[in-house]
Amino acid sequence: MGRNSGIICPTSENIDNEQLSRFISGKSALVAQGGGQRGIFTAGVFDAFLQAKFDPFDEYFGTSAGALNLCPFICRQEGLGKSFIVELTTNPEFFHLFSYIRRKQYMNLDWAFDQIQIDPYRLDIDTGQEVLRSKNRHAFAAATNLSDLEDHYLPMMQDDWRAVLAATCAIPRLYQGVVPLKGYDYVDGGVSAAIPVQEAWRRDARFITVIRTECVEDSLQTQLENDIESRKVAWFKDSLNSIQLQWQSKLQEWKQDWQAFVQQHKGKARAQGLNVMNGGRWMFGADDIYRLSYLLGDKFDSGLADMLMVHYQTYGLTQEFLQSPPDDTFIIQIAPSEPLKSSSLMSRREDLMHDYELGKEAGNRFIAQYEQAVSQWSTRAILDHLDMHNVDLNKLSKP
């Protein structure tokens, strides 16, 4: 990790607190990765924050399950994120594998959203809107525009909050169709912005906290390093990431060679234990997508291949951004130290509860590190003030 980045795990941390303290007073953002039921780790982090009444963030960004977890955090409803995952997403009404295979009964987001509008899960949207309004905060969910596969950032906690959550969670092959919203058709935000950290930076956040649902070292490191080994990435403060637009311009070129891409990464998925595109990036690993398409009798068409390729390349750019942030930014990743016991879907409840507790431990460890950095920043500010006014500290210390 670079000097402007750090990692906090449930039992350890690797952070330069002195360096962090130099960014602590700047605009801050909280970014939540997706990952399906692995989002239980994020739910634990958020509940630790809520128990400590800790929320120093100016803006929030989430993708898929990360956006879902942000809702109870912003609405100040401790335990709701955990209940949503442990109780609702494990219910056969939400997803049942054999019904999915035999009758194409897709993941039932509508049923889940119906549940969080009634007791005992009722999401307090009014409180969430007041939390954002009271301090001029903003929250965004990442979704992928189907027409050009670019990431869009949809404001959360507004009247269309349900459609926004559906858009960021509309996982290809698991969700039936697309989500139409404000003139666009959307699919899962993980296609183009699995971890929307660059958008937080583009909106002027200079202290960014990223909650991961996978180990940092699990993130396609070897392949991504090969892809970008000879290229020095420059990050530009534009409304759209200019580097990402370079990949966008190559979409037609990729379409012509998508079959080779599919076969190459299908082989890698098998060789590497189905982890080539797993974790918070897709509900299922790459090989699972091929297998499910086969079971459903669907053709693995060029449209899905395009999504995989855009995802693969944009995720590589995000990884490089996280490892080497711009000099004007400090990024902390809160992540599990080893693979979570939970799966993206169909997890055991005991595994979910185990990972929830890991998230709480990591959240509490982050709060302690943050408070240390604030203390260092306060001390430096006092010393700078005294120095500016030519105050002799030796004289102050005398009786």
Side-chain angles (χ1 to χ4, degrees):
M1 303 299 292
R3 189 162 181 257
N4 277 28
S5 60
I7 301 175
I8 289 183
C9 296
T11 58
S12 64
E13 65 274 335
N14 180 10
I15 296 176
D16 184 341
N17 250 5
E18 174 65 25
Q19 183 71 351
L20 168 60
S21 68
R22 300 179 185 277
F23 294 84
I24 209 78
S25 62
K27 182 178 179 180
S28 62
L30 180 61
V31 176
Q33 184 180 15
Q37 290 176 342
R38 290 191 182 98
I40 194 67
F41 178 84
T42 306
V45 174
F46 284 160
D47 278 353
F49 288 180
L50 289 173
Q51 288 174 6
K53 294 181 171 54
F54 175 84
D55 184 4
F57 306 104
D58 300 305
E59 289 187 335
Y60 314 88
F61 300 83
T63 295
S64 196
L68 289 175
N69 266 314
L70 276 173
C71 289
F73 176 65
I74 297 171
C75 294
R76 304 302 190 239
Q77 291 176 277
E78 180 187 339
L80 181 56
K82 178 181 71 173
S83 295
F84 184 89
I85 294 174
V86 175
E87 298 173 21
L88 297 183
T89 70
T90 61
N91 191 307
E93 285 288 334
F94 179 74
F95 183 80
H96 189 274
L97 181 60
F98 291 113
S99 297
Y100 173 70
I101 294 172
R102 293 171 182 172
R103 301 193 299 272
K104 289 192 177 182
Q105 183 174 313
Y106 292 89
M107 185 174 64
N108 197 344
L109 283 173
D110 288 336
W111 173 82
F113 293 158
D114 286 342
Q115 298 307 303
I116 61 172
Q117 290 185 268
I118 60 176
D119 294 331
Y121 306 106
R122 189 185 301 273
L123 184 66
D124 190 353
I125 293 293
D126 290 340
T127 294
Q129 291 175 343
E130 177 58 28
V131 166
L132 296 178
R133 183 169 51 247
S134 63
K135 293 186 178 181
N136 195 30
R137 294 166 162 167
H138 302 89
F140 302 94
T144 302
N145 177 11
L146 186 63
S147 65
D148 55 17
L149 300 184
E150 287 188 7
D151 46 322
H152 287 194
Y153 296 90
L154 310 177
M156 298 172 60
M157 296 296 166
Q158 299 187 0
D159 292 341
D160 59 356
W161 65 269
R162 180 167 169 157
V164 167
L165 292 181
T168 190
C169 294
I171 300 163
R173 290 297 192 270
L174 284 180
Y175 182 82
Q176 186 172 16
V178 299
V179 177
L181 184 61
K182 296 181 179 179
Y184 297 98
D185 289 333
Y186 290 107
V187 295
D188 175 39
V191 172
S192 56
I195 309 173
V197 61
Q198 292 106 316
E199 182 67 11
W201 177 78
R202 284 193 293 263
R203 292 177 184 262
D204 296 322
R206 294 300 175 259
F207 168 54
I208 304 175
T209 301
V210 179
I211 304 177
R212 304 288 298 271
T213 53
E214 58 188 345
C215 305
V216 172
E217 60 269 22
D218 280 353
S219 308
L220 294 174
Q221 292 288 19
T222 301
Q223 179 61 35
L224 294 173
E225 287 172 3
N226 290 339
D227 286 347
I228 59 181
E229 182 177 7
S230 61
R231 176 172 52 84
K232 176 67 174 178
V233 171
W235 301 105
F236 297 96
K237 190 177 172 183
D238 298 328
S239 58
L240 290 174
N241 188 326
S242 63
I243 303 298
Q244 185 168 322
L245 289 177
Q246 290 180 26
W247 292 118
Q248 190 68 34
S249 68
K250 293 184 179 181
L251 184 57
Q252 293 302 319
E253 175 186 336
W254 292 345
K255 285 182 178 180
Q256 297 173 8
D257 197 33
W258 68 271
Q259 287 184 329
F261 178 92
V262 167
Q263 294 305 317
Q264 175 188 6
H265 291 287
K266 183 175 179 180
K268 288 181 180 179
R270 288 172 174 164
Q272 299 177 13
L274 309 184
N275 281 324
V276 171
M277 293 181 188
N278 210 340
R281 303 182 289 286
W282 288 78
M283 271 282 200
F284 289 91
D287 203 42
D288 289 311
I289 294 175
Y290 308 119
R291 183 160 55 249
L292 285 172
S293 296
Y294 174 78
L295 290 172
L296 290 173
D298 290 342
K299 180 182 178 182
F300 189 85
D301 56 28
S302 60
L304 184 54
D306 293 342
M307 293 183 197
L308 285 169
M309 286 184 283
V310 168
H311 162 78
Y312 179 73
Q313 301 292 4
T314 55
Y315 189 78
L317 297 172
T318 300
Q319 281 299 105
E320 186 169 7
F321 187 90
L322 288 168
Q323 292 168 18
S324 301
D327 291 340
D328 64 352
T329 305
F330 197 100
I331 296 177
I332 292 181
Q333 298 182 70
I334 303 176
S337 52
E338 57 186 30
L340 296 173
K341 290 187 176 183
S342 306
S343 302
S344 298
L345 206 55
M346 299 179 291
S347 304
R348 299 186 306 168
R349 290 198 178 202
E350 54 265 38
D351 291 339
L352 291 170
M353 291 308 300
H354 173 272
D355 294 341
Y356 171 77
E357 293 299 330
L358 289 180
K360 289 186 70 174
E361 293 171 14
N364 286 323
R365 188 173 288 273
F366 173 84
I367 294 171
Q369 290 294 315
Y370 180 89
E371 290 176 345
Q372 288 182 29
V374 168
S375 177
Q376 288 180 282
W377 172 80
S378 299
T379 300
R380 183 187 302 108
I382 292 172
L383 293 175
D384 289 346
H385 177 79
L386 294 174
D387 182 63
M388 183 177 65
H389 290 84
N390 298 315
V391 175
D392 191 335
L393 294 179
N394 293 324
K395 291 182 180 179
L396 287 179
S397 62
K398 292 180 181 180

